[in-house]
Amino acid sequence: MDYKRDLERALTHLTDKGAFLTVKSGDKTNTMTVSWGYVGFMWQKPYFIALVRPQRYTRKLLNDATSFTISVPYDSLVKELAVCGSKSGADFDKSQVVKFAPAKTVDGAVVEGCDRYYECAINYAQDLNADDLPGPIVASVYNGDYHKLFFGEIVDNY
């Protein structure tokens, strides 16, 4: 598995236009739009690190999940990204906006119609600590709603 294949293009679209972070927990599947995330190599494996704020419904599902997927649309699904980034899955069934397909390797789903997929097994999660962050970052980015980092070992990508 070459997790670096097409990585520059995928990360450009993640940060410039967004991607879908999808999680399945029990019988619930939800996706949200993300534009922050990291891909790298640690603990002798490739990882996608997803950052999710506490008020997000997806975070509640991630806390109980074993995996998540990242679906990156390159030049499509712009309206769907906007809806999934502005409506909560707690109040709205996102399958009305996007079509989910079963993930190939993890127990989860991907968003159909995307150009790049990362399937990730959650191996670790860590809350950001405000006391450890530089003051200017806290002042410019946070209102007491610090991200939790979910470390997803990339077990498949295509």
Side-chain angles (χ1 to χ4, degrees):
M1 173 190 68
D2 182 10
Y3 77 96
K4 294 179 277 185
R5 192 181 83 219
D6 208 25
L7 182 58
E8 182 177 357
R9 187 172 184 196
L11 288 178
T12 297
H13 281 270
L14 168 74
T15 58
D16 292 350
K17 298 178 182 179
F20 298 99
L21 184 157
T22 306
V23 61
K24 179 183 173 200
S25 180
D27 63 349
K28 294 183 169 123
T29 299
N30 188 59
T31 194
M32 66 178 275
T33 301
V34 294
S35 60
W36 289 10
Y38 300 91
V39 173
F41 195 80
M42 61 191 294
W43 304 323
Q44 301 174 343
K45 297 177 188 268
Y47 275 84
F48 190 103
I49 302 172
L51 296 83
V52 184
R53 292 187 189 263
Q55 64 268 36
R56 302 292 183 237
Y57 175 67
T58 300
R59 179 161 157 175
K60 188 180 295 187
L61 297 178
L62 280 165
N63 284 332
D64 295 324
T66 60
S67 63
F68 64 85
T69 65
I70 301 292
S71 303
V72 187
Y74 287 166
D75 295 309
S76 61
L77 303 176
V78 174
K79 291 179 185 176
E80 292 85 347
L81 283 167
V83 171
C84 291
S86 62
K87 293 186 180 273
S88 172
D91 306 318
F92 178 75
D93 179 4
K94 304 234 182 125
S95 68
Q96 295 178 35
V97 176
V98 296
K99 186 171 182 184
F100 294 118
K104 292 181 178 181
T105 304
V106 300
D107 181 23
V110 296
V111 173
E112 283 192 0
C114 292
D115 300 285
R116 195 99 204 102
Y117 298 97
Y118 298 91
E119 297 190 15
C120 305
I122 300 170
N123 289 342
Y124 180 69
Q126 175 70 49
D127 289 309
L128 285 179
N129 182 344
D131 296 335
D132 295 334
L133 294 170
I137 290 175
V138 172
S140 67
V141 178
Y142 293 105
N143 291 314
D145 58 344
Y146 301 98
H147 289 96
K148 185 171 191 174
L149 282 66
F150 291 88
F151 291 71
E153 178 188 341
I154 300 171
V155 295
D156 204 354
N157 76 99
Y158 45 96

